[in-house]
Amino acid sequence: MNKSMKMWMLAAVLFCGLGFVGCGNNDTKQQPKEENKQVVDNKVDAAACDAAVADYLVNVIGKNYVEGELCIPSPFVISADYGNPEDVKVWGDFWVFNYNQSGDTLKTVSGGSHPGLMHLKKTDKGMEVTSFEVVEDGAGNLESAKRIFGDQYEAFLEVNSNQEKRESIRLQFIADYVKKNNLPVKMVQDFGWPAVELPK
């Protein structure tokens, strides 16, 4: 075999070898991308959960109260478990209020507290609340609260019994809502109480 023939065969072998290695590398590079995509798709966005909780408070619970011009949720989240996208758990002391606007003041029409555990699920449209375990009123209150909150019960009790903290949280939610919606509102007034200035 002459020298030029040997060189041609060597070049052909190298070319084929590089071709196979190149194909192998492409497959290897594509595989992790698929795996990473699956991991990202299964992640739960905490902000999306917060939005779903707020939406549930406004469009499900808020509609059970006397209607106002505005419905503003004040969910105080105590704990959350985002581990399972099919059943995200959010424990909290969930408040929602309806208001009417009068000049620069929101006047409270109705509302109340709904402590408990919300179950959420990831769907094609985002996160949505699938069920809500509510702490019972009356005789079953203590037992149901301990059952629902479990080892978070003390944290729930601290929030639920601290009116000053709850009010501070509510005023901040109202202030955020007013700012987001560009409302000319500076105060909020509950029935029978003087108007209170919103935080800036």
Side-chain angles (χ1 to χ4, degrees):
M1 187 178 292
N2 62 34
K3 187 175 180 182
S4 62
M5 184 65 111
K6 284 182 181 178
M7 291 296 290
W8 182 86
M9 288 182 68
L10 180 60
V13 168
L14 285 173
F15 179 79
C16 290
L18 287 173
F20 287 126
V21 169
C23 290
N25 281 347
N26 284 344
D27 288 344
T28 306
K29 285 178 182 175
Q30 286 174 1
Q31 190 61 34
K33 284 182 183 177
E34 282 300 313
E35 288 173 2
N36 289 341
K37 184 178 185 298
Q38 289 172 6
V39 170
V40 169
D41 286 348
N42 285 332
K43 282 185 179 177
V44 173
D45 183 357
C49 290
D50 291 343
V53 167
D55 182 73
Y56 185 85
L57 287 170
V58 170
N59 293 305
V60 177
I61 294 177
K63 292 191 180 298
N64 293 322
Y65 287 102
V66 175
E67 190 177 351
E69 294 170 353
L70 306 170
C71 184
I72 304 176
S74 302
F76 188 93
V77 174
I78 293 165
S79 181
D81 180 357
Y82 303 111
N84 180 5
E86 296 298 310
D87 186 21
V88 173
K89 299 179 179 73
V90 180
W91 291 267
D93 194 4
F94 304 105
W95 291 76
V96 63
F97 292 93
N98 291 317
Y99 303 92
N100 285 335
Q101 184 177 342
S102 177
D104 68 352
T105 303
L106 292 183
K107 299 203 172 189
T108 307
V109 175
S110 60
S113 167
H114 300 267
L117 166 60
M118 290 197 187
H119 295 265
L120 297 88
K121 181 179 180 179
K122 189 173 184 181
T123 70
D124 293 338
K125 296 179 182 178
M127 299 302 299
E128 66 178 41
V129 176
T130 56
S131 64
F132 185 24
E133 297 179 55
V134 185
V135 173
E136 296 176 23
D137 291 327
N141 180 270
L142 182 62
E143 183 183 345
S144 64
K146 286 185 173 181
R147 174 179 54 79
I148 291 170
F149 284 94
D151 58 3
Q152 301 291 332
Y153 175 72
E154 292 300 324
F156 158 68
L157 204 59
E158 183 181 342
V159 171
N160 188 256
S161 60
N162 190 333
Q163 184 175 352
E164 187 177 333
K165 188 171 186 176
R166 287 200 321 264
E167 183 62 8
S168 173
I169 292 166
R170 179 174 78 113
L171 291 177
Q172 189 59 59
F173 271 107
I174 296 170
D176 291 345
Y177 181 94
V178 164
K179 186 176 180 180
K180 183 179 178 181
N181 292 279
N182 296 313
L183 299 177
V185 170
K186 298 177 181 177
M187 315 276 282
V188 63
Q189 184 175 19
D190 294 332
F191 183 77
W193 292 87
V196 177
E197 190 172 351
L198 294 174
K200 294 179 181 177

